[in-house]
Every structure is written in structure tokens, then in C-alpha cells.
Amino acid sequence: LLRTRCEGVGCVPNEFLQVYAGQFDNSRQRRLDPSVQFSRKTHLKIELPSLGEGCFFVSEATDAGNGMQYRLRIASLTQSSEAGLVVAEHFAFKSETLAQALQSESNWKLLDAISPEDDLELVDEGSVNFRPLPGEGEGVYEAKVEYEKCAASTSQPVRTEISSLLSPASWLVKATFRDSQGEVIRYTEVDMDRICSELRP
């Protein structure tokens, strides 16, 4: 992977961009517990001026034993009026063909030709707030997300609560899934180590 600098962007602190950019995976966690599904998260700095200066290609890849599954997004970062809070708005790819092509790192050069107006759509409930945690050490941020959707096998809504801790060394993601009565259906914890810090297509 080639290297590039992540510069400070607008009001988004350069310190946050340096922590947010890079690649993480849970290979170490899986060596300790092979039952945990493989997860890899990649944040690649890209240029999309119409969405703001702080844009990243976000690739989340998981393998629970039945092949790699991908979740691809464009994240636009802005500084909130709340001190230290960084907000990430997420956009999905309209074209399934383009999304499938971007699953491969060898096709990331296609990101240079993306048109936000033609190729992207805002994700409902896709906003993520990153809040600094000074008591946990330098460059540590907490993010919490909650959303509701219907389970694949039933029309009953399932509430998903995600809490994550991003640091210079790792990204810990805890997910709790609840049924319509608030009972916990499933809980997962993915502990990803930072593999590299700076990327470009």
C-alpha cells in the first residue's frame, strides 16, 4: 500500500484524521478465539470537494465462514459546534456494479472518477459522532450508533446498538442486538488492531 499524508482539514483536527485514517483487522483476536468472525476496516482519504474537504472511502469486510461480505461507504467528516466532536455522514454507492468493483483494492483507482451527485446517496441513520475521551489517553475517541430495522427472517424490528472505541493502536467495536421488546438477541465484540496508518489508491 502506498503512503500519503493526512493533513488537517477545515475544523476537523489533524489529530483525529491521523487516528481515523488507516486499516484495522482482528487477526490477533481470531488467533486467540477462532470462533470470532474475521473483520477488516479500511479508511482511505479521497478528494470529493462537493462533499467537503474531509472525505474518506470506507471499506468494512467481514467473514463469518461463508465468504467475505463487504459494506462500502463514503464518509464526509465535519467538526461539530460541540468542542472536540467530529461527525461522519455516510453515503452509499447507487451502482451495485461499482460497489462490487471497489471490493478489490486493485480497483480503488476508480474512486478518482466518482461523482457525488450521480454515484452516491445519503445513508439514512448513517451519521456517526466521534467524541474525544481525554481520560482514556491521547487520540482516543468514542462513537455510539443506534438504528432499527427488520430482521431478515421476520417482520419484527431489531434494534442495533453499536459502541466503539477508536485509538491510535486499535478499533474496538461492541454491538448489541435487541428485539422489539428490548431483549438482547445477540452480542458481538470485535477488537481490531491498526495494521497501517496511511493509505491511498
Side-chain angles (χ1 to χ4, degrees):
L1 293 174
L2 299 177
R3 296 170 59 82
T4 184
R5 266 181 61 82
C6 270
E7 302 290 350
V9 176
C11 294
V12 180
N14 184 57
E15 291 77 10
F16 177 79
L17 296 180
Q18 290 178 336
V19 174
Y20 184 81
Q23 192 169 69
F24 308 77
D25 79 25
N26 69 333
S27 296
R28 178 182 58 84
Q29 181 188 27
R30 292 193 74 244
R31 286 195 295 270
L32 299 173
D33 183 0
S35 68
V36 176
Q37 70 177 20
F38 172 77
S39 295
R40 182 178 64 239
K41 183 187 285 285
T42 303
H43 288 179
L44 172 71
K45 182 72 173 66
I46 61 174
E47 300 298 327
L48 287 174
S50 64
L51 292 183
E53 295 294 331
C55 288
F56 284 79
F57 169 62
V58 176
S59 171
E60 298 178 355
T62 59
D63 185 358
N66 55 351
M68 199 70 76
Q69 302 294 317
Y70 291 87
R71 181 174 178 270
L72 306 178
R73 297 285 188 265
I74 297 296
S76 175
L77 307 181
T78 56
Q79 176 81 55
S80 169
S81 58
E82 181 181 335
L85 184 69
V86 176
V87 179
E89 294 284 355
H90 290 92
F91 297 80
F93 293 94
K94 296 179 182 179
S95 167
E96 183 64 27
T97 300
L98 176 59
Q100 288 182 352
L102 290 172
Q103 292 176 8
S104 171
E105 183 179 331
S106 63
N107 290 326
W108 286 356
K109 58 184 178 293
L110 296 174
L111 293 165
D112 293 336
I114 285 178
S115 164
E117 295 77 13
D118 297 333
D119 299 323
L120 303 176
E121 56 189 0
L122 185 66
V123 177
D124 291 335
E125 297 185 310
S127 177
V128 179
N129 295 337
F130 291 88
R131 182 172 282 101
L133 295 178
E136 297 294 329
E138 185 176 353
V140 179
Y141 294 82
E142 179 185 46
K144 292 185 177 181
V145 181
E146 295 185 7
Y147 59 91
E148 192 168 281
K149 66 178 182 178
C150 292
S153 58
T154 176
S155 60
Q156 294 299 312
V158 173
R159 188 75 182 173
T160 303
E161 303 166 359
I162 299 176
S163 174
S164 62
L165 201 64
L166 171 64
S167 75
S170 63
W171 196 318
L172 175 63
V173 180
K174 302 177 181 180
T176 302
F177 304 86
R178 300 181 186 274
D179 63 19
S180 58
Q181 305 302 313
E183 296 296 324
V184 176
I185 302 172
R186 184 163 59 96
Y187 172 82
T188 63
E189 187 169 311
V190 178
D191 190 3
M192 293 174 285
D193 296 315
R194 182 181 295 275
I195 305 305
C196 57
S197 297
E198 299 173 311
L199 308 168
R200 78 178 186 191

